[in-house]
Amino acid sequence: MEQIIESKNCKQCSCNFNITDKDLEFYKKISPKFNGEVFDVPTPKCCPKCRNIQRELFVNERNLYK
């Protein structure tokens, strides 16, 4: 079961969202390592809905390529 670690407000829409222990585990897993030093990935500042909207802005569905 996921445990809520932190509760944040979205910087764009001001809604509440939670950071769970599974999220922190994932961020630790994808953290880059350079010369043996681990650089932590910061927790998100936007809610999942706003992050998804930002991702979809770069999708180009108007042009079809062969």
Side-chain angles (χ1 to χ4, degrees):
M1 184 169 174
E2 294 183 9
Q3 182 182 8
I4 297 173
I5 302 296
E6 188 177 354
S7 182
K8 287 189 167 187
N9 287 333
C10 178
K11 71 175 188 178
Q12 290 182 343
C13 67
S14 300
C15 70
N16 291 332
F17 66 99
N18 297 324
I19 306 290
T20 63
D21 58 344
K22 298 283 185 180
D23 294 333
L24 294 177
E25 183 179 310
F26 174 72
Y27 296 140
K28 188 177 227 178
K29 179 180 173 185
I30 64 167
S31 294
K33 297 175 186 172
F34 296 107
N35 296 329
E37 187 177 351
V38 178
F39 293 91
D40 292 332
V41 176
T43 57
K45 293 178 177 36
C46 297
C47 67
K49 183 179 175 184
C50 290
R51 285 184 276 156
N52 193 31
I53 290 171
Q54 289 175 353
R55 269 187 235 106
E56 289 177 354
L57 287 174
F58 294 102
V59 174
N60 184 5
E61 294 182 356
R62 293 184 183 180
N63 296 326
L64 297 175
Y65 300 99
K66 290 183 181 181

